Amino acid sequence: MLDDPTGDFMFQFVPILIGIIAIIVISTIVIGIVKGAAQWNHNNNSPVFQLEDGERIELRVKGQEYCMPAEGDTGELSFQGTRYLGFNRSANAEIN
């Protein structure tokens, strides 16, 4: 009974299986955190601009330019496709 080969196999296999499962679970959690942080960063640096024709577009901007246009600002938006190039505020924009 002490020389049972299936008993030795279980004592060797189960710790390996538990380790593999732990690695999979930890990897899934880390990937979820990284994806969530990336999405949060994307959401925080993508203001929505409304064009003259009423169309709204969301453009990703650099961190230092994110706070420059405020809600209600009017001006000239420069973009190429989905790439933000700049925003020049109109001189006659209302100041709150």
Side-chain angles (χ1 to χ4, degrees):
M1 186 158 192
L2 292 175
D3 294 331
D4 185 16
T6 58
D8 290 339
F9 173 75
M10 291 305 289
F11 281 112
Q12 293 174 359
F13 178 72
V14 171
I16 293 171
L17 182 64
I18 291 173
I20 291 171
I21 291 171
I23 289 172
I24 291 171
V25 169
I26 291 170
S27 298
T28 303
I29 292 170
V30 169
I31 290 170
I33 290 171
V34 169
K35 283 184 175 182
Q39 183 65 41
W40 176 82
N41 186 36
H42 174 75
N43 290 345
N44 284 340
N45 290 327
S46 300
V48 176
F49 295 94
Q50 184 170 346
L51 305 178
E52 289 178 348
D53 63 1
E55 179 185 1
R56 292 175 173 249
I57 57 172
E58 183 175 337
L59 301 173
R60 187 170 180 123
V61 299
K62 294 178 184 172
Q64 63 266 22
E65 294 187 47
Y66 176 71
C67 293
M68 293 194 58
E71 186 174 347
D73 280 353
T74 58
E76 185 176 331
L77 174 65
S78 301
F79 65 99
Q80 183 176 13
T82 59
R83 192 171 79 194
Y84 171 84
L85 299 176
F87 178 75
N88 295 319
R89 188 176 287 120
S90 295
N92 60 357
E94 293 181 21
I95 300 175
N96 294 333

